[in-house]
Amino acid sequence: MASLLEKGKLLKGLLTGERAYVGPFYATVDVTRRCNLRCPGCPYHSIETNLPLPGEKAMLDISFDLFKRLCNELRAMGTRSLIITAEGEPLLHPLIFEIISKAKENGLKVTLFTNGTFLDEVRVRALIDSRLDLLRVSLWGSTPEEYAKTYPGTDPANFNKVIEGMKLMVSNKAARGTSFPFIQLYQPFTRYSFESAEDRVSLALTTRCRDLSFSPFVSLQGKSTGLVLTPDEERQLSFSLSGLRKRLKSLSISHNINETLLYYRMGKAMWERQPCYIGWLHARVTADGTVLPCVRCNLSMGHLEENGFHEIWNGVEYRNFRRQTLTREGLISIGKECDCIFCCHLRDNVRVHRLFKWFSPFLLHPKKNWS
């Protein structure tokens, strides 16, 4: 939760239209490019999408020294949260547990995003020892049959492997007398799974997971369109999710159903309806040290092997990006580099816009009004 001072600095920066007076509220770090799966929504490893990796392609893992420098700078700039993910599977980084521990030493709340296939006894214990805050497990299906349809050519035994890994984490936490890391089960809705929303609850009960996170499936650059829901299917799913909230509350299971419903209500092109504020809120760092503004934007803001993060954060590229994303014309102009369908930062953008729209007439650099 940002302090009033930090919110005031955020507002001050927004009014300039380009400069940030506070560091990113959270950052995402892609620690590795190695992966053992070909998730259909992955831009880099999916069989259909297979986009080129940004930055230096030969750099497979982020260096520990670079990561330490980044953490030091983020701490100095007031950043509180770090999401460890990857252009692959984070648990394949050879120093992943040291990386988590280093982030925790710098006072960061750490989330690890994993496909769950490597949650064995040794890694589970190491994750607990690292003081990880949140373990976010991605599982594209609620049954082995759904899993097999979504991951064609992948060993269907992986489904049960993920389930057993989550159970192992719960039992080890109980044995150690700790509640950390919290476990969140992340499941996008595809045409193979949107009718089984109720099965997500059963899966949470089976794994003793107390937090469910949903999202629409995103077709990147028009690929994997066979998994995208039709408008009628979206309406059917929205109705099912609306009815599911009461049951989840009775079971004390947290969820993001309201946010998911907002995704479907606002539609795929949220960027047509309001500005994007992510240039003031977030930064993504890839395995080779390239700094990007968000998870689905390949516009380089700079490189950590050439400049410090603090310098990049208010450098020319970031300031240009912030100016562009405050206008509809600017967002359209960067459309080839930024895939904004079902914006992955929807909640943050909506929250900021609810407040900032009342101040936007006072922008130092006026922009076209949004409807």
Side-chain angles (χ1 to χ4, degrees), residues 37-207:
L37 294 181
R38 291 186 175 272
C39 302
C42 177
Y44 309 115
H45 298 282
S46 166
I47 295 174
E48 285 198 41
T49 311
N50 198 27
L51 297 179
L53 291 161
E56 177 51 57
K57 299 172 180 58
M59 184 69 70
L60 293 179
D61 304 308
I62 195 169
S63 77
F64 191 56
D65 286 341
L66 186 149
F67 184 80
K68 286 193 296 183
R69 296 199 306 271
L70 175 62
C71 285
N72 290 338
E73 288 203 71
L74 291 176
R75 177 181 61 184
M77 297 171 70
T79 302
R80 290 194 177 91
S81 297
L82 186 72
I83 301 169
I84 296 178
T85 181
E87 297 152 294
E89 165 53 44
L91 288 175
L92 288 174
H93 192 293
L95 298 176
I96 185 60
F97 306 113
E98 291 85 348
I99 282 174
I100 298 170
S101 296
K102 178 54 64 175
K104 292 299 298 177
E105 287 174 17
N106 280 273
L108 293 164
K109 179 180 178 181
V110 182
T111 297
L112 178 71
F113 205 134
T114 176
N115 63 36
T117 57
F118 292 103
L119 293 176
D120 57 17
E121 187 76 37
V122 172
R123 292 184 179 91
V124 160
R125 290 180 179 178
L127 287 171
I128 295 173
D129 289 339
S130 70
R131 299 178 292 126
L132 179 69
D133 294 282
L134 176 65
L135 181 67
R136 197 177 194 206
V137 181
S138 176
L139 186 59
W140 291 51
S142 298
T143 65
E145 293 74 24
E146 283 183 8
Y147 188 90
K149 289 179 181 178
T150 309
Y151 295 92
T154 299
D155 186 353
N158 279 339
F159 179 84
N160 288 324
K161 184 184 295 186
V162 175
I163 301 304
E164 293 307 312
M166 294 177 69
K167 290 180 180 178
L168 192 61
M169 175 61 79
V170 171
S171 62
N172 270 267
K173 284 166 52 180
R176 299 275 290 273
T178 180
S179 57
F180 293 99
F182 290 112
I183 305 172
Q184 181 184 81
L185 183 58
Y186 169 72
Q187 295 192 300
F189 286 111
T190 70
R191 299 196 72 182
Y192 295 130
S193 64
F194 80 97
E195 294 180 301
S196 60
E198 186 69 26
D199 290 339
R200 314 297 172 103
V201 183
S202 300
L203 193 58
L205 294 174
T206 298
T207 58

Side-chain angles (χ1 to χ4, degrees), residues 271-274 324-333 368-371:
W271 54 271
E272 293 181 343
R273 307 174 67 173
Q274 69 170 57
Q324 286 179 299
T325 52
L326 282 180
T327 69
R328 184 182 287 109
E329 293 78 7
L331 283 168
I332 292 172
S333 72
K368 182 177 178 180
N369 290 330
W370 294 76
S371 58

Side-chain angles (χ1 to χ4, degrees), residues 106-323:
N106 280 273
L108 293 164
K109 179 180 178 181
V110 182
T111 297
L112 178 71
F113 205 134
T114 176
N115 63 36
T117 57
F118 292 103
L119 293 176
D120 57 17
E121 187 76 37
V122 172
R123 292 184 179 91
V124 160
R125 290 180 179 178
L127 287 171
I128 295 173
D129 289 339
S130 70
R131 299 178 292 126
L132 179 69
D133 294 282
L134 176 65
L135 181 67
R136 197 177 194 206
V137 181
S138 176
L139 186 59
W140 291 51
S142 298
T143 65
E145 293 74 24
E146 283 183 8
Y147 188 90
K149 289 179 181 178
T150 309
Y151 295 92
T154 299
D155 186 353
N158 279 339
F159 179 84
N160 288 324
K161 184 184 295 186
V162 175
I163 301 304
E164 293 307 312
M166 294 177 69
K167 290 180 180 178
L168 192 61
M169 175 61 79
V170 171
S171 62
N172 270 267
K173 284 166 52 180
R176 299 275 290 273
T178 180
S179 57
F180 293 99
F182 290 112
I183 305 172
Q184 181 184 81
L185 183 58
Y186 169 72
Q187 295 192 300
F189 286 111
T190 70
R191 299 196 72 182
Y192 295 130
S193 64
F194 80 97
E195 294 180 301
S196 60
E198 186 69 26
D199 290 339
R200 314 297 172 103
V201 183
S202 300
L203 193 58
L205 294 174
T206 298
T207 58
R208 289 187 285 171
C209 174
R210 313 309 301 173
D211 192 357
L212 291 175
S213 179
F214 307 122
S215 76
F217 172 76
V218 178
S219 172
L220 299 172
Q221 296 191 355
K223 304 295 180 64
S224 300
T225 54
L227 296 176
V228 178
L229 271 60
T230 67
D232 284 343
E233 290 168 341
E234 288 181 5
R235 285 190 285 273
Q236 181 181 337
L237 173 61
S238 296
F239 181 79
S240 299
L241 290 176
S242 296
L244 199 59
R245 286 179 293 196
K246 186 174 181 180
R247 185 174 180 215
L248 289 173
K249 182 178 181 180
S250 71
L251 295 170
S252 299
I253 296 176
S254 301
H255 59 82
N256 72 332
I257 287 179
N258 289 341
E259 181 182 350
T260 306
L261 293 174
L262 181 62
Y263 271 116
Y264 288 118
R265 187 165 65 249
M266 292 195 72
K268 298 178 175 64
M270 189 197 77
W271 54 271
E272 293 181 343
R273 307 174 67 173
Q274 69 170 57
C276 173
Y277 302 100
I278 204 61
W280 281 272
L281 305 174
H282 170 267
R284 171 193 173 196
V285 179
T286 66
D288 74 317
T290 302
V291 178
L292 306 171
C294 88
V295 177
R296 297 215 300 268
C297 184
N298 287 328
L299 285 171
S300 174
M301 302 291 103
H303 200 287
L304 293 178
E305 294 290 2
E306 300 170 1
N307 300 103
F309 182 80
H310 187 276
E311 184 179 352
I312 293 171
W313 183 239
N314 267 313
V316 173
E317 296 301 329
Y318 243 119
R319 294 171 74 154
N320 287 340
F321 177 81
R322 292 179 185 128
R323 282 197 304 271

